Amino acid sequence: MALKSLMAVTGVILVLFLLAHMYGNLMVFGGQQAFDEYSHHLRELGEPMLPHSGALWIIRVVLLASVLGHAYSAVALWSRAKKARGHRYAVTKSAQGASARYATQTMRWGGVVIVLFVVFHILHLTTNDIAPGGASTSPYERLVNGFQPEFWYVTLFYVLSVLAVGLHLRHGIWSALATLGANKAKRERPLHAASTLIAVVLTVGFLLGPLSVTFGLVE
Amino acid sequence: MNITLRVWRQKNSDAEGRMVTYKVEDVETDMSFLEMLDVLNEKLTTAGEDPVAFDHDCREGICGACGVVIDGVAHGPETTTTCQLHMRSFKDGDTITVEPWRAKAFPVLKDLVVDRGSFDRIIQAGGYISAPTGTAPDAHANPIPKADADRAFDAATCIGCGACVAACPNASGMLFTAAKVTHLGMLPQGQPERAARVVKMVNQHDEEDFGGCTNIGECAAVCPKGIPLDTISQLNKDLLGALASGNLD
Amino acid sequence: MTELYIEGDPVRDEKAPAGPVQERWDKRRFSAKLVNPANRRKLSVIVVGTGLAGASAAATLGEAGYEVTSFCYQDSPRRAHSIAAQGGINAAKNYRNDGDSIYRLFYDTVKGGDFRSRESNVYRLSQVSVEIIDQCVAQGVPFAREYGGLLDNRSFGGVQVSRTFYARGQTGQQLLIGAYQALERQIAAGTVQMHTRHEMLELVVKDGRARGIVVRDMVSGEIETHFADAVVLASGGYGNVFFLSTNAMGCNVTATWRAHRKGALFGNPCFTQIHPTCIPVSGEYQSKLTLMSESLRNDGRIWVPKEHGDKRDPREIPEDERDYYLERIYPAFGNLVPRDIASRAAKNVCDEGRGVGPGGLGVYLDFADAIKRMGRPAVEAKYGNLFDMYQRITGENPYEVPMRIYPAVHYTMGGLWVDYDLQSTIPGLFVTGEANFSDHGANRLGASALMQGLADGYFVLPNTINDYLSAGPFEKLDADDPDAREAAEAVRSRIDTLLSVDGSRTVDSFHKELGHIMWDYCGMERTEEGLRKAIERIRELRTEFWSDVKVLGGNEELNQALEKAGRVADFFELAELMCIDALHRNESCGGHFRAESQTEDGEALRHDDTYAYVAAWEFNGTGAPPILHKEELEYEYVEMKQRSYK
């Protein structure tokens, strides 16, 4: 039970982060200066109360803790579920219909995919250790370089990963709200709709940047 | 109509089980699923083969004794109990796979019969209102808003069949637990023990080796009594409230 | 006739105090000896069965501090068949201010029982009814409520006041779950020890006292003996002797029959209630019948075509070609006449060849008028779950086509004879709920079974059993005791016999055949000729059973065929006693209709001068004529008269 709450709370933190992150990404449409300033400001956040990059590091630590907590509770629940089932069924079928179940059935493997993606994403755009189109100190350039048409496979990987995130969120947001006690019979459909909406907004929001670069809308 | 059945056969809780295929002929569409199994058992007995053991009692969908997984769905293709499922839901020539509830908390005793004692123990942990006989005030002493009474009733219709556990990909017993928490928690009589009840019942649920709930909703989709999924959210809310108020018992 | 039974000495209820009926229960509670709370821990009670009567008794005795051991054959105490009761529970609360009172409930019940029940018992039942509702509400039973938050009531089968409390169509379920939760609370508290999947197969009697039971663990097959200072049987009724009934598949007579064989008298075994509103039989394979709440008769109208063999779609039969026979024959009560009357009227119109549906065994229950009057949403709100159930079973939509109904065996008023304390003729053996014979006479009114089960378990037994227990604790016994050993041996040898016959017929085939005999000759209408034939055929079939039954597998495993075989074996013996009882009672009363005894217009004709007694039967050896003990019934308050619902 504590596991569920941990999962929900960390999930909510991560969703809030994603919303902020998406907001930041969309700055890309404001041009190089706006985007680079934004990312620079992130490092100055909280100064002079906090040292340079202090706030950012606090956020990073919280995020890392959330990811670890989220993953830990997922693995624990997963192994508990396996143990709790015991013998497997010869035939399994969803009573809710296959499409409704797709998001829930992909939560665990989808989660693993997302973790791998995040690792790549940090190496790519944060530390710039992976730099398909050439390294740069400007975040804007890193972005633009990374998603050039000739690196279509990078874009494709991003697209698939972001879709995985969206799917994960579709069930995840609803589930977190239910776990935190927000569901009521009358709210069930609105909550599902809301979580789908947020998932779609985030998916689209994250895809806009890279796709715009790949298709030459942002240079 | 003629049916091919693949049925889980297991001599006892220690034995290895396996799927065995039987043909059942002359099945009538008005038969209930269990009556079709009766026909199979009469045939097996006459042929000197051990009949298939399955739990059942009232055969009118209220005692909660019956329940098998039919073609991968708890209680089969209609949202009802196995005893109220009729053969008109199947076609001539169908092959039907019949398995027991699968959960560590529901060990198989024989064939399709499982032990659901874990549910009783969850109730023992706190699924009641302490009202010793003879201590009650007049029934009209406490008017209850109809909406609350109705919500309590919806949750109280749970028959304890275990389909929620059988259907849950996590083998969680949360819908069963939540139904009781919601039934009693909606009533003024249930308030004094409300916080302690939810904590104790959830602890017992976890101790019985049920899986954790991840809000998938398969439980409510197969529930023959339509216990709403929001009971689980109610339980979560009550639980968080209880934990926040320091009720860690 | 005399060759079939022997008449013995009369029997009397020594426990009911004399004096005004209103004061008898108080008097008895005062005169009954009490047990000091500190001593209760040293006294043990066995309770068999976890329905309303059993679960409520076990929970209440546990709360009182006795050491209780409870048994049920199901996998959980919550599954006992009380759970299937739909309609409601009566209580003389007079919340409707419609002239109801304890006295009126008492009067209605005595009259409804056709003057074959005890005034003292029925009055107490009515008094206690009021407390039951309070108790259940306190436990969290979600009774139907009105918008003001107060409890709703409805009128129910054969009465003209609204005194029935209900929880949609699932009143039995909600009451049972209330009792079950109270029981589980005591199990958690350690005052009750629960044994599920255990079936009582024998009673242990030591020095004339009931001291324990022999049970079979239905999973391991182990035969166990449990001892106590008193034994309570709350094992339900025996309607399954008819094979097809509204009882659960597992309901059986074994616990009470075994006690009967050990000396407990069996009261009025032939008093069987046939419920008028059940879904008709659809085929030979049918394993059970499903009841639909009698509350349907509040708004549905019952009819058959006027024309014999009219095969038209019911919707195409014009109004003037329909016979609303209950409204025609009983204008005052119409469709709300008591169950026995409604059932027999249905049988009569079907016997005339005007029945509908397959085999002509059905009558229409039509909601077209109600839908017109109240609108479909109102009908749905009130009866939706019943309509759904009907549609699920029959595949027909009752909102469009009238439902078909036919009477089915539902409840048995007969049972082990008990005194006012609910004690049988074996000291220390108490019997509660449907298992005893006491409160309903020859016919039970709707919504009174739940009332009686809970009255016995919550309020009556816990106040009377102490009178007996105050003489305890009795001598400690163990499994080596010769009487206990003999009882366990008897169980083992019976099981061995059943397993070793290795004949050619399944248990179910015997049970079905027995059921046919009982339904044809000891069902809704009984004749001397038919009953004699039935007795003969039951005896032949019983002999065949013991020489040709086929039970596979062994004892040391979960063996459902073996369980069934033992139950059917006891049904054979009970069936014969039922027929003898029905044969000897040459009058019609309540659920017992003897064709030889009817008024000119075909109504039941009682013979109060000859038969105003309880027939309490003593077992006298297998196959030997049983001994009849009569308990004369006296009516000081309700004047005995022919029932009339016209």
Side-chain angles (χ1 to χ4, degrees):
Chain A
M1 195 61 216
L3 287 174
K4 277 183 66 170
S5 305
L6 179 63
M7 170 90 91
V9 171
T10 54
V12 168
I13 292 173
L14 292 168
V15 170
L16 293 176
F17 161 71
L18 285 179
L19 286 167
H21 186 1
M22 180 186 74
Y23 169 76
N25 283 8
L26 293 176
M27 293 281 186
V28 82
F29 295 104
Q32 180 163 12
Q33 199 188 351
F35 191 72
D36 285 353
E37 259 176 31
Y38 165 75
S39 83
H40 182 71
H41 277 309
L42 279 182
R43 280 155 185 80
E44 288 175 350
L45 203 68
E47 277 182 51
M49 298 274 283
L50 294 167
H52 186 68
S53 289
L56 194 62
W57 274 106
I58 291 174
I59 293 173
R60 281 174 178 160
V61 168
V62 169
L63 286 178
L64 186 67
S66 295
V67 168
L68 289 177
H70 203 71
Y72 166 75
S73 52
V75 170
L77 281 167
W78 195 346
S79 86
R80 211 178 119 186
K82 272 193 108 103
K83 258 204 330 234
R85 172 62 71 226
H87 199 289
R88 293 179 66 156
Y89 287 113
V91 181
T92 46
K93 198 173 139 196
S94 167
Q96 298 181 94
S99 71
R101 274 299 306 284
Y102 194 73
T104 60
Q105 275 168 339
T106 51
M107 287 306 278
R108 281 156 189 165
W109 285 112
V112 171
V113 169
I114 293 166
V115 167
L116 294 176
F117 163 69
V118 168
V119 171
F120 174 82
H121 177 60
I122 291 172
L123 291 174
H124 177 198
L125 292 176
T126 309
T127 64
N128 215 205
D129 289 320
I130 299 174
S136 165
T137 50
S138 155
Y140 184 84
E141 279 172 16
R142 285 180 212 166
L143 177 74
V144 173
N145 295 348
F147 294 108
Q148 287 307 309
E150 59 264 41
F151 306 116
W152 58 270
Y153 46 87
V154 175
T155 311
L156 183 67
F157 178 56
Y158 264 79
V159 169
L160 291 177
S161 300
V162 169
L163 286 175
V165 172
L167 207 55
H168 196 81
L169 290 177
R170 185 181 154 200
H171 176 70
I173 295 173
W174 138 259
S175 181
L177 291 172
T179 297
L180 296 174
N183 182 31
K184 282 215 170 117
K186 272 192 214 143
R187 282 196 213 149
E188 197 161 316
R189 278 167 158 280
L191 281 184
H192 268 296
S195 55
T196 306
L197 181 73
I198 298 176
V200 168
V201 166
L202 281 169
T203 308
V204 172
F206 279 116
L207 287 180
L208 276 178
L211 286 176
S212 304
V213 173
T214 307
F215 289 103
L217 298 172
V218 170
E219 288 173 350
Chain B
M1 57 203 244
N2 298 321
I3 294 288
T4 305
L5 279 182
R6 289 173 65 220
V7 185
W8 180 259
R9 301 302 310 263
Q10 181 174 338
K11 193 121 188 66
N12 54 52
S13 48
D14 301 326
E16 284 286 308
R18 67 201 172 93
M19 302 298 293
V20 180
T21 304
Y22 301 102
K23 294 245 179 272
V24 193
E25 280 144 22
D26 300 325
V27 173
E28 292 182 35
T29 50
D30 279 342
M31 277 182 185
S32 70
F33 195 83
L34 298 185
E35 284 168 348
M36 184 271 296
L37 289 180
D38 289 344
V39 170
L40 170 68
N41 278 347
E42 288 289 282
K43 198 182 94 172
L44 288 177
T45 306
T46 313
E49 282 181 66
D50 201 19
V52 179
F54 58 92
D55 258 331
H56 64 105
D57 205 17
C58 78
R59 293 206 179 187
E60 48 188 279
I62 193 75
C63 76
C66 68
V68 291
V69 173
I70 300 166
D71 287 336
V73 178
H75 288 308
E78 312 279 342
T79 313
T80 184
T81 55
T82 304
C83 64
Q84 293 293 291
L85 173 67
H86 286 73
M87 295 310 291
R88 64 181 81 94
S89 300
F90 299 90
K91 293 190 308 291
D92 186 33
D94 275 359
T95 297
I96 305 171
T97 306
V98 187
E99 299 177 78
W101 289 167
R102 295 280 188 206
K104 194 159 166 250
F106 291 167
V108 173
L109 296 176
K110 182 179 182 178
D111 298 339
L112 305 171
V113 178
V114 300
D115 179 0
R116 287 167 288 199
S118 44
F119 270 8
D120 288 334
R121 292 187 291 275
I122 291 177
I123 299 296
Q124 277 161 36
Y128 48 74
I129 289 172
S130 299
T133 307
T135 58
D138 185 86
H140 269 176
N142 257 326
I144 303 176
K146 189 165 164 52
D148 289 350
D150 285 349
R151 181 150 194 243
F153 186 91
D154 287 338
T157 55
C158 169
I159 56 175
C161 64
C164 45
V165 176
C168 175
N170 303 322
S172 173
M174 204 48 80
L175 190 67
F176 169 82
T177 312
K180 190 48 62 195
V181 165
T182 305
H183 161 205
L184 301 177
M186 283 299 108
L187 300 171
Q189 307 90 296
Q191 299 313 310
E193 293 163 296
R194 186 169 179 179
R197 175 183 308 121
V198 65
V199 175
K200 288 196 267 187
M201 288 180 74
V202 169
N203 283 343
Q204 187 65 35
H205 168 276
D206 292 356
E207 226 164 85
E208 297 287 348
D209 285 332
F210 287 103
C213 168
T214 56
N215 305 303
I216 295 169
E218 282 292 311
C219 50
V222 298
C223 177
K225 295 294 149 184
I227 303 295
L229 195 58
D230 72 342
T231 55
I232 295 183
S233 206
Q234 184 67 51
L235 174 143
N236 293 332
K237 201 167 158 185
D238 285 10
L239 185 64
L240 292 174
L243 296 176
S245 68
N247 201 326
L248 297 168
D249 188 5
Chain C
M1 188 97 80
T2 42
E3 81 281 11
L4 285 172
Y5 70 94
I6 301 164
E7 184 155 348
D9 298 332
V11 60
R12 265 183 62 79
D13 169 17
E14 308 280 353
K15 302 279 176 46
V21 73
Q22 293 85 347
E23 291 167 19
R24 288 178 197 168
W25 179 225
D26 274 350
K27 274 195 190 164
R28 179 59 193 144
R29 279 192 287 186
F30 184 72
S31 66
K33 292 189 206 83
L34 299 176
V35 178
N36 176 338
N39 288 338
R40 292 182 197 154
R41 251 175 296 129
K42 300 172 202 147
L43 292 159
S44 53
V45 181
I46 282 172
V47 181
V48 180
T50 58
L52 288 179
S56 57
T60 306
L61 293 172
E63 281 164 13
Y66 295 108
E67 188 198 319
V68 179
T69 318
S70 171
F71 297 85
C72 68
Y73 73 76
Q74 298 90 343
D75 72 319
S76 162
R78 67 180 293 151
R79 309 211 194 280
H81 198 55
S82 303
I83 203 153
Q86 297 168 358
I89 176 166
N90 288 329
K93 280 283 197 187
N94 193 28
Y95 280 160
R96 282 308 169 96
N97 196 26
D98 56 1
D100 198 13
S101 62
I102 287 169
Y103 198 89
R104 186 177 297 280
L105 176 55
F106 157 70
Y107 176 91
D108 286 347
T109 308
V110 169
K111 180 184 169 208
D114 222 359
F115 303 94
R116 292 296 176 264
S117 52
R118 289 185 193 139
E119 282 190 337
S120 306
N121 284 53
V122 175
Y123 197 87
R124 174 178 66 189
L125 178 65
S126 308
Q127 283 175 305
V128 165
S129 71
V130 175
E131 294 169 68
I132 296 171
I133 301 302
D134 300 342
Q135 177 63 28
C136 294
V137 166
Q139 286 171 343
V141 170
F143 283 117
R145 285 180 187 267
E146 296 173 326
Y147 283 97
L150 298 177
L151 295 164
D152 193 14
N153 296 120
R154 59 185 172 198
S155 88
F156 206 79
V159 296
Q160 289 166 316
V161 290
S162 284
R163 65 160 75 102
T164 304
F165 294 78
Y166 66 101
R168 286 187 213 162
Q170 287 139 277
T171 318
Q173 181 201 23
Q174 293 310 316
L175 294 174
L176 183 64
I177 286 177
Y180 156 76
Q181 287 168 190
L183 174 63
E184 292 294 339
R185 184 167 82 95
Q186 291 309 307
I187 294 170
T191 63
V192 178
Q193 230 188 55
M194 184 73 224
H195 298 271
T196 60
R197 291 196 199 269
H198 277 68
E199 183 161 31
M200 169 180 163
L201 296 176
E202 198 51 271
L203 180 73
V204 178
V205 180
K206 174 82 184 167
D207 302 331
R209 291 178 190 276
R211 291 300 314 278
I213 60 174
V214 180
V215 296
R216 178 171 176 273
D217 177 332
M218 292 156 77
V219 177
S220 69
E222 199 179 327
I223 306 299
E224 307 164 359
T225 309
H226 295 260
F227 299 99
D229 294 304
V231 175
V232 179
L233 298 186
S235 51
Y238 48 85
N240 269 350
V241 69
F242 291 87
F243 184 73
L244 282 182
S245 80
T246 66
N247 285 6
M249 301 301 285
C251 291
N252 67 84
V253 75
T254 292
T256 45
W257 190 256
R258 294 284 122 194
H260 173 60
R261 288 180 61 109
K262 288 271 169 134
L265 301 187
F266 208 112
N268 297 332
C270 81
F271 286 169
T272 313
Q273 180 165 80
I274 317 268
H275 195 288
T277 52
C278 299
I279 301 176
V281 177
S282 65
E284 241 326 281
Y285 53 81
Q286 189 126 3
S287 59
K288 84 150 270 158
L289 296 172
T290 305
L291 178 141
M292 299 212 301
S293 169
E294 181 163 40
S295 61
L296 289 168
R297 288 200 276 144
N298 284 339
D299 290 301
R301 298 180 70 194
I302 295 175
W303 64 276
V304 290
K306 283 188 177 158
E307 203 56 41
H308 290 209
D310 190 337
K311 295 273 176 249
R312 279 178 290 174
D313 181 315
R315 288 167 294 184
E316 285 163 16
I317 300 179
E319 200 64 18
D320 61 344
E321 291 175 44
R322 299 176 175 191
D323 179 12
Y324 294 91
Y325 58 89
L326 287 177
E327 297 170 25
R328 173 172 58 83
I329 308 173
Y330 307 100
F333 279 69
N335 293 300
L336 293 175
V337 290
R339 293 174 175 178
D340 52 339
I341 292 177
S343 292
R344 213 171 46 253
K347 175 182 161 40
N348 289 341
V349 295
C350 292
D351 287 353
E352 287 166 19
R354 297 195 286 144
V356 298
L361 292 177
V363 298
Y364 290 124
L365 174 61
D366 199 335
F367 271 75
D369 283 354
I371 291 172
K372 224 179 282 166
R373 190 182 71 237
M374 309 156 60
R376 182 169 161 160
V379 171
E380 243 171 83
K382 220 164 162 186
Y383 304 109
N385 61 334
L386 298 170
F387 280 34
D388 290 349
M389 182 172 79
Y390 181 85
Q391 181 158 20
R392 187 155 279 143
I393 293 171
T394 62
E396 290 170 17
N397 180 355
Y399 291 102
E400 278 157 24
V401 189
M403 289 187 258
R404 287 175 294 108
I405 54 166
Y406 198 65
V409 174
H410 171 56
Y411 186 89
T412 48
M413 281 74 69
L416 290 184
W417 185 92
V418 290
D419 60 20
Y420 192 66
D421 280 2
L422 303 182
Q423 185 167 220
S424 73
T425 46
I426 301 176
L429 180 71
F430 293 78
V431 192
T432 60
E434 190 179 350
N436 74 27
F437 88 107
S438 68
D439 294 355
H440 305 297
N443 174 54
R444 179 175 66 72
L445 288 181
S448 284
L450 304 184
M451 172 172 71
Q452 186 223 339
L454 290 180
D456 286 1
Y458 282 134
F459 296 106
V460 180
L461 183 80
N463 280 297
T464 58
I465 198 170
N466 36 287
D467 187 64
Y468 176 79
L469 287 173
S470 63
F474 304 107
E475 174 200 359
K476 282 267 166 269
L477 299 179
D478 60 35
D480 286 335
D481 178 85
D483 290 300
R485 217 162 38 198
E486 192 194 314
E489 265 324 303
V491 168
R492 282 196 194 94
S493 87
R494 222 163 102 89
I495 290 173
D496 289 346
T497 311
L498 287 169
L499 288 170
S500 62
V501 175
D502 196 24
S504 65
R505 285 183 63 179
T506 63
V507 177
D508 262 2
S509 80
F510 280 105
H511 193 184
K512 264 185 202 180
E513 193 174 337
L514 173 66
H516 275 303
I517 298 172
M518 292 302 284
W519 180 247
D520 290 345
Y521 300 113
C522 199
M524 267 187 285
E525 185 174 304
R526 299 148 176 193
T527 64
E528 177 173 350
E529 194 197 346
L531 289 164
R532 284 189 182 279
K533 197 155 147 199
I535 291 167
E536 207 174 296
R537 287 191 46 197
I538 291 165
R539 287 176 178 170
E540 287 164 13
L541 193 62
R542 186 173 64 215
T543 312
E544 193 189 335
F545 174 84
W546 284 105
S547 62
D548 197 27
V549 73
K550 190 179 184 85
V551 183
L552 298 169
N555 174 53
E556 280 74 37
E557 59 176 314
L558 197 161
N559 188 337
Q560 293 175 325
L562 177 63
E563 295 159 16
K564 235 186 285 181
R567 296 169 191 163
V568 171
D570 287 332
F571 278 138
F572 273 115
E573 297 183 10
L574 165 79
E576 185 176 329
L577 184 66
M578 285 172 74
C579 292
I580 292 173
D581 186 39
L583 186 59
H584 111 280
R585 190 174 281 277
N586 191 10
E587 66 159 350
S588 298
C589 61
H592 171 63
F593 189 82
R594 280 287 298 268
E596 297 91 340
S597 178
Q598 49 184 306
T599 62
E600 275 171 18
D601 41 5
E603 297 296 329
L605 182 65
R606 289 200 322 265
H607 296 296
D608 293 334
D609 44 345
T610 326
Y611 292 107
Y613 62 78
V614 174
W617 298 91
E618 180 185 345
F619 184 74
N620 191 26
T622 315
I627 302 167
L628 170 66
H629 301 274
K630 294 178 183 173
E631 181 199 338
E632 292 299 332
L633 292 168
E634 285 155 29
Y635 292 87
E636 299 169 54
Y637 293 88
V638 187
E639 189 199 343
M640 293 178 93
K641 51 185 177 194
Q642 208 68 34
R643 284 193 303 165
S644 170
Y645 292 92
K646 288 199 167 171

